[in-house]
């Protein structure tokens, strides 16, 4: 990842973070709504190499840790996002069956968000946080999956375009 | 071809994971720098969030209304029902206050005169019988009420009990055209017969044509033998107009009843007034005119301009 790519990526994720904090959190959506930064980071990672995916996860996770809606200690989301974004990037990288197919990227992103939240939950329990009852956890995860499946196809084209421009790649979805 | 990674990539992952674990450890140990970082971020984000909230609020409200349409309707219906209930309670409270005021008035009057009274609530205005001007009260023979007993309000005479039932009674109002009462003028003690006219005004016919009657004179009940149907001394009304026609056989006057019959809520039936005659003690006090404030303006002439 060149310095140029890093400089371009930072304001993009900063804007997404501000949109998440200032706009998305204002809506009282059913089933808990969605996290725009999480979805964008996972789509971005799915289009990138594993190293860039890990770095993306680190930056996005750091921002999510700074969010007022984050209840865990600083670094918890960072750790989860590094693992999640790296995993998504690792699964997609070099496999054209996944990367060239938007449905597969949406599926990968949806599974990635749910998995990230599950890992965050498990890590939180290990760190002594209250998790709530099973029913609420289930509905929250189901809501995450639902909203990610709705939102990510809408964002995919835009993120793919920006990603291609930032990294100077000619191939776009 | 599946990506296998290289040493540089693995090292990067390890560094990032160790950094995140380092951050977790610092935060759990309560390092001030981490708290300051979060506080600083929140401080910087607050204006953006406020702006976002302001910009999004119309859309958010719309979405909220759409998603909770059924609940909103239920809530509106519930609030409307609650509002109606509160309005009714307030109305009842106002009604109760008005009744209490009337009860205080009638008890004051009866207490001053020394009458033994039974308080009653007016449960019906008008009657299905032939009386055109009557009320039904919620006390009857079970409370010691008998026919031909005087009925009072806080201002004076209301009427007379005509029919008594176990738990209610029919009262003929003083405004009834068939109503007659012996009256005397407070002070001069001139006597006459007052008859109802179907309105709040009655007509007094003086028995002695040589006596003088003036506008504003107060009429009191003369009283009957044994205090029934009328106890003595009850204020009836005041003279509003006098007919002094030279050719008239008797002198007549128009009288306005003190009691407003259309707003009766609480009355009292005099169950024992025998032997008590308050004379003119129940004459209502004359209204004291409110002094008109005067304003004195001092004008100081300005000095004449000098050239």
């Amino acid at each position: 990842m060149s310095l140029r790519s890093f400089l371009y990526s930072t304001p993009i994720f900063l804007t997404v973070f501000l949109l998440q904090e200032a706009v998305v959190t204002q809506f009282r959506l059913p089933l808990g709504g969605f996290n725009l930064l999480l979805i964008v980071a996972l789509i971005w990672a799915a289009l990138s190499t594993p190293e860039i995916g890990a770095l993306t996860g680190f930056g996005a996770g750091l921002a999510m840790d700074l969010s007022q809606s984050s209840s865990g200690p600083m670094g918890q989301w960072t750790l989860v996002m590094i693992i999640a974004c790296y995993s998504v990037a690792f699964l997609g990288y070099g496999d054209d069956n996944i990367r060239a197919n938007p449905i597969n990227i949406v599926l990968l992103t949806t599974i990635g968000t749910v998995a990230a939240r599950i890992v965050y939950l498990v890590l939180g329990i290990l760190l002594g946080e209250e998790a709530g009852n099973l029913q609420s956890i289930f509905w929250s995860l189901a809501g995450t999956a639902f909203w990610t499946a709705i939102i990510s196809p809408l964002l995919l084209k835009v993120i793919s375009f920006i990603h291609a421009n930032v990294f100077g790649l000619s191939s776009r979805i | 071809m599946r990506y296998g990674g290289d040493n540089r990539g693995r090292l990067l992952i390890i560094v990032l994971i160790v950094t995140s674990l380092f951050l977790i450890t610092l935060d759990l140990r309560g390092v001030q720098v981490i708290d300051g970082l979060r506080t600083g971020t929140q401080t910087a984000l607050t204006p953006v969030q406020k702006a976002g909230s302001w910009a999004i609020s119309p859309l958010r409200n719309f979405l909220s209304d759409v998603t909770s349409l059924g609940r909103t309707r239920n809530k509106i219906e519930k609030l409307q029902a609650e509002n109606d209930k509160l309005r009714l309670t307030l109305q009842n409270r106002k009604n109760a206050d008005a009744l209490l005021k009337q009860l205080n008035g009638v008890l004051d009057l009866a207490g001053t005169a020394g009458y033994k009274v039974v308080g009653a609530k007016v449960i019906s205005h008008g009657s299905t019988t032939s009386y055109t001007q009557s009320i039904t009260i919620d006390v009857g023979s079970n409370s010691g009420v008998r026919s031909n007993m005087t009925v009072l309000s806080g201002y004076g005479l209301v009427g007379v009990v005509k029919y008594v039932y176990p738990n209610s009674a029919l009262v003929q109002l003083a405004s009834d055209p068939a109503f007659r009462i012996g009256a005397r003028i407070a002070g001069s003690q001139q006597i006459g017969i007052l008859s109802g006219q179907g309105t709040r005004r009655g007509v007094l016919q003086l028995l002695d044509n040589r006596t003088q009657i003036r506008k504003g004179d107060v009429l009191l009940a003369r009283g009957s033998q044994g205090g029934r149907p009328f106890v003595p001394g009850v204020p009836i009304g005041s003279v509003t107009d006098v007919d002094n026609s030279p050719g008239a056989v008797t002198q007549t006057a128009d009288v306005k009843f003190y009691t407003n019959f259309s707003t009766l809520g609480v009355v009292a039936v005099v169950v024992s007034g025998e032997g008590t005659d308050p004379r003119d003690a129940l004459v209502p006090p004359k209204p004291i005119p409110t002094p008109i404030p005067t304003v004195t303006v001092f004008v100081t002439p300005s000095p004449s301009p000098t050239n």
Side-chain angles (χ1 to χ4, degrees), chain B residues 93-172:
Chain B
R93 175 62 196 264
K94 280 183 181 173
N95 195 28
D97 285 348
L99 291 179
L100 186 66
K101 194 178 169 189
Q102 289 188 13
L103 185 63
N104 278 335
V106 76
L107 289 177
D108 279 350
L109 190 77
T112 307
Y115 303 140
K116 189 180 173 188
V117 295
V118 172
K121 199 173 167 186
V122 177
I123 54 175
S124 166
H125 285 264
S127 166
T128 53
T129 64
S130 60
Y131 298 105
T132 52
Q133 300 282 322
S134 62
I135 55 171
T136 308
I137 55 176
D138 66 347
V139 292
S141 56
N142 288 345
S143 303
V145 174
R146 302 286 179 267
S147 61
N148 291 326
M149 283 182 166
T150 310
V151 181
L152 307 173
S153 74
Y155 301 100
L157 183 76
V158 169
V160 65
V161 177
K162 271 293 170 187
Y163 294 108
V164 181
Y165 308 103
N167 293 308
S168 64
L170 186 75
V171 176
Q172 183 188 20

Coordinates of all heavy atoms in Angstrom, one line a residue, chain B residues 93-172:
Chain B
R93 N -64.6 18.9 38.6 CA -64.0 19.6 39.7 C -64.5 21.1 39.8 O -64.9 21.6 40.8 CB -62.5 19.7 39.5 CG -61.7 20.5 40.5 CD -61.9 20.0 41.9 NE -61.5 21.0 42.9 CZ -60.3 21.0 43.4 NH1 -59.4 20.1 43.2 NH2 -60.0 22.0 44.3
K94 N -64.7 21.7 38.6 CA -65.2 23.0 38.5 C -66.7 23.0 39.0 O -67.1 23.9 39.7 CB -65.2 23.5 37.1 CG -63.8 24.0 36.6 CD -63.9 24.6 35.2 CE -62.5 25.1 34.7 NZ -62.6 25.4 33.3
N95 N -67.4 22.0 38.6 CA -68.8 21.8 39.0 C -68.9 21.7 40.6 O -69.7 22.3 41.2 CB -69.4 20.6 38.3 CG -70.9 20.6 38.4 OD1 -71.5 21.6 38.5 ND2 -71.4 19.4 38.4
A96 N -67.9 20.9 41.1 CA -67.9 20.6 42.5 C -67.6 21.9 43.3 O -68.2 22.2 44.3 CB -66.9 19.5 42.9
D97 N -66.6 22.7 42.7 CA -66.3 24.0 43.3 C -67.5 24.9 43.4 O -67.7 25.6 44.4 CB -65.1 24.6 42.6 CG -63.8 23.9 42.8 OD1 -63.8 23.1 43.8 OD2 -62.8 24.2 42.1
A98 N -68.2 25.0 42.2 CA -69.4 25.8 42.2 C -70.4 25.4 43.2 O -71.0 26.2 43.9 CB -69.9 25.8 40.8
L99 N -70.6 24.1 43.3 CA -71.6 23.6 44.2 C -71.2 23.9 45.7 O -72.0 24.2 46.5 CB -71.8 22.1 44.1 CG -72.4 21.6 42.8 CD1 -72.5 20.1 42.7 CD2 -73.8 22.2 42.7
L100 N -69.9 23.8 45.9 CA -69.4 24.0 47.3 C -69.6 25.5 47.6 O -70.0 25.8 48.8 CB -67.9 23.7 47.3 CG -67.2 23.8 48.7 CD1 -67.8 22.8 49.6 CD2 -65.7 23.6 48.5
K101 N -69.4 26.4 46.7 CA -69.6 27.8 46.9 C -71.1 28.1 47.2 O -71.4 28.8 48.2 CB -69.2 28.6 45.6 CG -69.1 30.1 45.8 CD -68.6 30.7 44.5 CE -68.7 32.2 44.7 NZ -68.5 32.9 43.4
Q102 N -72.0 27.4 46.5 CA -73.4 27.6 46.7 C -73.8 27.0 48.1 O -74.6 27.6 48.8 CB -74.2 26.8 45.6 CG -74.1 27.5 44.3 CD -75.1 26.9 43.3 OE1 -76.0 26.1 43.7 NE2 -74.9 27.2 42.0
L103 N -73.2 25.9 48.4 CA -73.5 25.3 49.8 C -73.0 26.2 50.9 O -73.7 26.3 51.9 CB -72.8 23.9 49.8 CG -73.1 23.1 51.1 CD1 -74.6 22.7 51.2 CD2 -72.3 21.8 51.1
N104 N -71.8 26.7 50.7 CA -71.3 27.7 51.7 C -72.3 28.8 51.9 O -72.6 29.2 53.1 CB -69.9 28.2 51.3 CG -68.9 27.2 51.7 OD1 -69.0 26.4 52.6 ND2 -67.8 27.3 50.9
G105 N -72.8 29.4 50.8 CA -73.7 30.5 50.9 C -75.0 30.2 51.6 O -75.4 30.9 52.5
V106 N -75.5 29.0 51.2 CA -76.8 28.6 51.8 C -76.7 28.3 53.3 O -77.5 28.6 54.1 CB -77.5 27.5 51.0 CG1 -76.8 26.2 51.3 CG2 -79.0 27.4 51.3
L107 N -75.5 27.7 53.7 CA -75.3 27.4 55.1 C -75.1 28.7 55.9 O -75.5 28.8 57.1 CB -74.1 26.4 55.3 CG -74.4 25.0 54.8 CD1 -73.2 24.1 54.9 CD2 -75.6 24.4 55.5
D108 N -74.4 29.6 55.3 CA -74.2 30.9 55.9 C -75.5 31.6 56.2 O -75.8 32.1 57.3 CB -73.4 31.9 55.1 CG -71.9 31.6 55.2 OD1 -71.5 30.8 56.1 OD2 -71.1 32.1 54.4
L109 N -76.4 31.6 55.2 CA -77.7 32.2 55.3 C -78.5 31.5 56.4 O -79.1 32.2 57.3 CB -78.4 32.1 54.0 CG -79.7 32.9 53.9 CD1 -79.4 34.4 53.7 CD2 -80.5 32.5 52.7
A110 N -78.6 30.2 56.4 CA -79.4 29.4 57.3 C -78.8 29.6 58.7 O -79.5 29.7 59.7 CB -79.4 28.0 56.9
G111 N -77.4 29.6 58.8 CA -76.8 29.8 60.1 C -77.1 31.1 60.8 O -77.3 31.2 62.0
T112 N -77.1 32.2 59.9 CA -77.3 33.5 60.4 C -78.8 33.6 61.0 O -79.0 34.2 62.0 CB -77.1 34.6 59.3 OG1 -75.9 34.4 58.7 CG2 -77.3 36.0 59.8
A113 N -79.7 33.0 60.2 CA -81.1 33.0 60.6 C -81.4 32.1 61.8 O -82.4 32.2 62.4 CB -82.0 32.7 59.4
G114 N -80.6 31.1 62.0 CA -80.9 30.1 63.0 C -81.8 29.0 62.5 O -82.5 28.3 63.3
Y115 N -81.9 28.8 61.2 CA -82.8 27.7 60.7 C -82.1 26.4 60.7 O -80.9 26.3 60.6 CB -83.1 28.0 59.2 CG -83.8 29.3 58.9 CD1 -83.4 30.0 57.7 CD2 -84.8 29.8 59.7 CE1 -84.0 31.2 57.4 CE2 -85.4 31.1 59.4 CZ -85.0 31.7 58.2 OH -85.6 32.9 57.9
K116 N -82.9 25.4 61.0 CA -82.3 24.0 60.9 C -82.6 23.5 59.4 O -83.8 23.5 59.0 CB -83.0 23.1 61.9 CG -82.3 21.8 62.0 CD -83.0 20.9 63.0 CE -82.5 19.5 63.0 NZ -83.3 18.6 63.9
V117 N -81.6 23.3 58.7 CA -81.8 23.0 57.3 C -81.2 21.6 56.9 O -80.4 21.0 57.6 CB -81.1 24.0 56.4 CG1 -81.7 25.4 56.5 CG2 -79.6 24.1 56.7
V118 N -81.7 21.1 55.8 CA -81.1 19.9 55.2 C -80.6 20.3 53.8 O -81.4 20.8 53.0 CB -82.2 18.8 55.1 CG1 -81.7 17.6 54.3 CG2 -82.7 18.3 56.4
G119 N -79.3 20.0 53.6 CA -78.8 20.4 52.3 C -79.2 19.4 51.2 O -79.5 18.2 51.5
A120 N -79.4 19.9 50.1 CA -79.9 19.1 49.0 C -79.2 19.5 47.7 O -78.9 20.6 47.5 CB -81.4 19.2 48.8
K121 N -79.1 18.5 46.8 CA -78.5 18.8 45.5 C -79.6 18.7 44.5 O -80.5 17.9 44.5 CB -77.5 17.7 45.2 CG -76.5 18.0 44.1 CD -75.5 16.9 44.0 CE -74.7 17.0 42.7 NZ -73.8 15.9 42.6
V122 N -79.6 19.7 43.6 CA -80.6 19.7 42.5 C -80.3 18.7 41.5 O -79.2 18.7 40.9 CB -80.6 21.1 41.9 CG1 -81.7 21.2 40.7 CG2 -81.0 22.2 42.9
I123 N -81.2 17.7 41.3 CA -80.9 16.7 40.4 C -81.7 16.8 39.1 O -81.5 16.1 38.1 CB -81.3 15.3 41.0 CG1 -82.7 15.2 41.6 CG2 -80.3 14.9 42.1 CD1 -83.1 13.9 42.1
S124 N -82.6 17.7 39.1 CA -83.4 17.9 37.8 C -84.0 19.3 37.8 O -84.5 19.8 38.8 CB -84.4 16.9 37.7 OG -85.4 17.2 36.7
H125 N -83.9 20.0 36.7 CA -84.6 21.3 36.5 C -85.8 21.0 35.6 O -85.8 20.2 34.7 CB -83.7 22.2 35.7 CG -82.6 22.8 36.6 ND1 -82.7 24.0 37.2 CD2 -81.4 22.3 36.9 CE1 -81.6 24.2 37.9 NE2 -80.8 23.2 37.8
G126 N -86.9 21.6 36.0 CA -88.1 21.4 35.3 C -88.8 20.2 35.8 O -88.3 19.5 36.7
S127 N -90.0 19.9 35.3 CA -90.7 18.8 35.9 C -91.7 18.2 34.8 O -92.0 18.9 33.9 CB -91.6 19.3 37.1 OG -92.5 18.4 37.4
T128 N -92.0 17.0 35.0 CA -93.0 16.4 34.1 C -94.4 16.6 34.6 O -95.3 16.2 33.9 CB -92.7 14.9 34.1 OG1 -92.7 14.4 35.4 CG2 -91.4 14.5 33.4
T129 N -94.5 17.2 35.8 CA -95.9 17.5 36.2 C -96.3 18.8 35.7 O -95.7 19.4 34.8 CB -95.9 17.6 37.8 OG1 -95.1 18.7 38.2 CG2 -95.4 16.3 38.4
S130 N -97.4 19.4 36.2 CA -98.0 20.6 35.6 C -97.2 21.8 36.0 O -97.5 22.9 35.4 CB -99.4 20.7 36.0 OG -99.5 20.8 37.4
Y131 N -96.3 21.7 36.9 CA -95.5 22.9 37.3 C -94.6 23.3 36.2 O -93.8 22.6 35.8 CB -94.8 22.7 38.6 CG -95.7 22.4 39.8 CD1 -95.9 21.1 40.3 CD2 -96.5 23.4 40.3 CE1 -96.7 20.8 41.3 CE2 -97.4 23.1 41.4 CZ -97.5 21.9 41.8 OH -98.4 21.6 42.8
T132 N -94.7 24.6 35.9 CA -93.8 25.0 34.8 C -92.5 25.4 35.3 O -91.5 25.5 34.6 CB -94.5 26.2 34.1 OG1 -94.8 27.2 35.0 CG2 -95.7 25.8 33.3
Q133 N -92.4 25.9 36.6 CA -91.1 26.3 37.2 C -90.9 25.5 38.4 O -91.4 25.8 39.5 CB -91.2 27.8 37.5 CG -91.5 28.7 36.4 CD -90.3 29.0 35.5 OE1 -89.2 29.1 36.1 NE2 -90.5 29.0 34.2
S134 N -90.1 24.4 38.3 CA -89.8 23.6 39.4 C -88.4 22.9 39.3 O -87.9 22.9 38.2 CB -90.9 22.5 39.6 OG -90.9 21.7 38.4
I135 N -88.0 22.4 40.4 CA -86.8 21.6 40.4 C -87.0 20.4 41.3 O -87.9 20.3 42.1 CB -85.6 22.4 41.0 CG1 -85.9 22.9 42.4 CG2 -85.1 23.5 40.1 CD1 -84.7 23.5 43.2
T136 N -86.2 19.4 41.0 CA -86.2 18.2 41.9 C -84.9 18.1 42.7 O -83.8 18.3 42.1 CB -86.3 16.9 41.0 OG1 -87.4 17.1 40.1 CG2 -86.6 15.7 41.8
I137 N -85.1 17.9 43.9 CA -83.9 17.8 44.8 C -83.7 16.3 45.3 O -84.7 15.5 45.3 CB -84.0 18.7 46.0 CG1 -85.3 18.5 46.8 CG2 -83.9 20.2 45.5 CD1 -85.4 19.4 48.0
D138 N -82.5 16.0 45.8 CA -82.2 14.6 46.1 C -82.4 14.2 47.5 O -81.9 13.2 48.0 CB -80.7 14.3 45.7 CG -79.7 15.1 46.6 OD1 -80.2 16.0 47.3 OD2 -78.5 14.7 46.6
V139 N -83.2 15.0 48.2 CA -83.6 14.6 49.6 C -85.1 14.5 49.6 O -85.8 15.3 48.9 CB -83.1 15.6 50.7 CG1 -81.6 15.5 50.8 CG2 -83.6 17.0 50.4
G140 N -85.6 13.6 50.5 CA -87.1 13.4 50.6 C -87.5 13.1 52.0 O -86.8 13.6 52.9
S141 N -88.6 12.4 52.1 CA -89.1 12.1 53.4 C -88.1 11.4 54.3 O -88.2 11.5 55.5 CB -90.4 11.4 53.3 OG -90.2 10.2 52.5
N142 N -87.3 10.6 53.7 CA -86.3 9.8 54.5 C -85.3 10.8 55.2 O -84.7 10.4 56.2 CB -85.5 8.9 53.7 CG -86.3 7.7 53.2 OD1 -87.4 7.5 53.8 ND2 -85.9 7.0 52.2
S143 N -85.2 12.0 54.7 CA -84.3 13.0 55.3 C -85.0 14.0 56.2 O -84.4 15.0 56.6 CB -83.5 13.7 54.2 OG -82.8 12.8 53.4
G144 N -86.3 13.8 56.4 CA -87.1 14.7 57.2 C -87.7 15.8 56.4 O -88.3 16.7 57.0
V145 N -87.7 15.7 55.1 CA -88.3 16.8 54.3 C -89.8 16.5 54.2 O -90.2 15.3 54.0 CB -87.6 16.8 52.9 CG1 -88.4 17.8 52.0 CG2 -86.2 17.2 53.0
R146 N -90.6 17.5 54.4 CA -92.1 17.4 54.2 C -92.5 18.4 53.2 O -91.8 19.4 52.9 CB -92.8 17.6 55.6 CG -92.3 16.7 56.7 CD -92.9 15.3 56.5 NE -92.5 14.4 57.5 CZ -91.4 13.6 57.4 NH1 -90.7 13.6 56.3 NH2 -91.1 12.8 58.4
S147 N -93.8 18.3 52.8 CA -94.3 19.3 51.8 C -94.5 20.6 52.6 O -94.6 20.7 53.8 CB -95.6 18.8 51.2 OG -96.5 18.6 52.2
N148 N -94.6 21.7 51.8 CA -94.7 23.0 52.3 C -93.6 23.4 53.2 O -93.8 24.1 54.3 CB -96.1 23.2 53.1 CG -97.2 23.1 52.1 OD1 -97.1 23.6 51.0 ND2 -98.3 22.5 52.5
M149 N -92.4 23.1 52.9 CA -91.2 23.6 53.6 C -90.5 24.6 52.7 O -90.4 24.4 51.4 CB -90.3 22.4 53.9 CG -90.8 21.6 55.1 SD -89.6 20.3 55.6 CE -90.1 19.9 57.2
T150 N -89.9 25.6 53.3 CA -89.2 26.6 52.5 C -87.8 26.1 52.0 O -87.1 25.3 52.7 CB -88.9 27.8 53.4 OG1 -90.1 28.2 54.1 CG2 -88.3 29.0 52.6
V151 N -87.5 26.4 50.8 CA -86.3 26.0 50.2 C -85.4 27.3 49.9 O -85.9 28.3 49.4 CB -86.5 25.2 48.9 CG1 -85.2 24.8 48.3 CG2 -87.4 24.0 49.1
L152 N -84.1 27.2 50.4 CA -83.3 28.4 50.3 C -82.1 28.1 49.4 O -81.7 27.0 49.2 CB -82.7 28.7 51.6 CG -83.6 28.9 52.8 CD1 -82.8 29.1 54.1 CD2 -84.5 30.1 52.6
S153 N -81.5 29.2 48.9 CA -80.2 29.1 48.2 C -79.3 30.1 49.0 O -79.8 30.6 50.0 CB -80.3 29.6 46.8 OG -80.4 31.0 46.7
G154 N -78.1 30.2 48.6 CA -77.2 31.1 49.3 C -77.6 32.6 49.2 O -77.1 33.4 50.0
Y155 N -78.5 32.9 48.3 CA -78.9 34.3 48.1 C -80.2 34.6 48.7 O -80.6 35.8 48.8 CB -78.9 34.6 46.6 CG -77.6 34.4 45.9 CD1 -77.3 33.2 45.2 CD2 -76.6 35.4 46.0 CE1 -76.1 33.0 44.6 CE2 -75.3 35.2 45.4 CZ -75.1 34.0 44.7 OH -73.9 33.8 44.2
G156 N -81.0 33.6 48.9 CA -82.4 33.8 49.5 C -83.3 32.7 49.1 O -83.0 31.6 48.9
L157 N -84.6 33.1 48.9 CA -85.7 32.2 48.7 C -85.6 31.5 47.3 O -85.3 32.2 46.3 CB -87.0 32.9 48.8 CG -88.3 32.0 48.6 CD1 -88.5 31.2 49.9 CD2 -89.5 32.9 48.3
V158 N -85.8 30.2 47.3 CA -85.8 29.4 46.1 C -87.3 29.1 45.7 O -87.7 29.2 44.6 CB -85.0 28.2 46.2 CG1 -85.2 27.2 45.0 CG2 -83.5 28.6 46.2
G159 N -88.0 28.6 46.7 CA -89.3 28.1 46.5 C -89.9 27.4 47.7 O -89.4 27.5 48.8
V160 N -90.8 26.5 47.4 CA -91.4 25.7 48.4 C -91.6 24.2 48.0 O -91.8 24.0 46.8 CB -92.8 26.3 48.8 CG1 -93.8 26.2 47.7 CG2 -93.4 25.7 50.1
V161 N -91.4 23.3 49.0 CA -91.5 21.9 48.6 C -93.0 21.6 48.4 O -93.8 21.9 49.2 CB -91.0 21.0 49.8 CG1 -91.2 19.6 49.5 CG2 -89.5 21.3 50.1
K162 N -93.2 21.0 47.2 CA -94.6 20.7 46.9 C -94.9 19.2 47.0 O -95.9 18.9 47.7 CB -94.9 21.1 45.4 CG -95.4 22.5 45.2 CD -96.7 22.7 45.9 CE -97.1 24.2 46.0 NZ -98.4 24.3 46.7
Y163 N -94.1 18.4 46.5 CA -94.3 17.0 46.6 C -93.1 16.3 47.2 O -92.0 16.6 46.8 CB -94.7 16.3 45.2 CG -96.0 16.8 44.7 CD1 -96.0 17.7 43.6 CD2 -97.2 16.4 45.3 CE1 -97.2 18.1 43.1 CE2 -98.4 16.9 44.8 CZ -98.4 17.7 43.7 OH -99.6 18.2 43.2
V164 N -93.3 15.4 48.1 CA -92.2 14.7 48.7 C -92.2 13.2 48.4 O -93.3 12.6 48.5 CB -92.2 14.9 50.2 CG1 -91.0 14.2 50.9 CG2 -92.2 16.4 50.5
Y165 N -91.1 12.7 48.0 CA -91.0 11.2 47.8 C -89.9 10.7 48.8 O -89.3 11.5 49.5 CB -90.5 11.0 46.4 CG -91.4 11.7 45.4 CD1 -91.0 12.9 44.7 CD2 -92.7 11.2 45.1 CE1 -91.8 13.5 43.8 CE2 -93.5 11.8 44.2 CZ -93.1 13.0 43.6 OH -93.9 13.7 42.7
P166 N -89.8 9.4 48.9 CA -88.8 9.0 49.9 C -87.4 9.5 49.8 O -86.8 9.9 50.8 CB -88.8 7.4 49.7 CG -90.1 7.1 49.1 CD -90.5 8.3 48.3
N167 N -86.9 9.6 48.6 CA -85.5 10.1 48.4 C -85.4 11.3 47.5 O -84.3 11.6 47.0 CB -84.7 9.0 47.9 CG -84.5 7.9 48.9 OD1 -84.1 8.2 50.1 ND2 -84.8 6.7 48.5
S168 N -86.5 12.0 47.2 CA -86.5 13.2 46.4 C -87.7 14.0 46.7 O -88.6 13.6 47.4 CB -86.4 12.8 44.9 OG -87.6 12.1 44.6
A169 N -87.7 15.2 46.2 CA -88.8 16.1 46.4 C -88.9 17.1 45.3 O -87.9 17.5 44.7 CB -88.6 16.9 47.7
L170 N -90.1 17.5 45.0 CA -90.3 18.5 43.9 C -90.5 19.8 44.6 O -91.3 20.0 45.5 CB -91.6 18.1 43.1 CG -91.8 18.9 41.9 CD1 -90.9 18.6 40.8 CD2 -93.3 18.7 41.4
V171 N -89.8 20.8 44.1 CA -89.8 22.2 44.7 C -90.4 23.1 43.6 O -90.0 23.2 42.5 CB -88.4 22.6 45.0 CG1 -88.4 24.1 45.6 CG2 -87.8 21.7 46.1
Q172 N -91.5 23.8 44.1 CA -92.0 24.9 43.2 C -91.2 26.1 43.4 O -91.0 26.6 44.5 CB -93.5 25.1 43.6 CG -94.2 26.1 42.7 CD -95.5 26.6 43.3 OE1 -95.8 26.4 44.5 NE2 -96.4 27.1 42.4

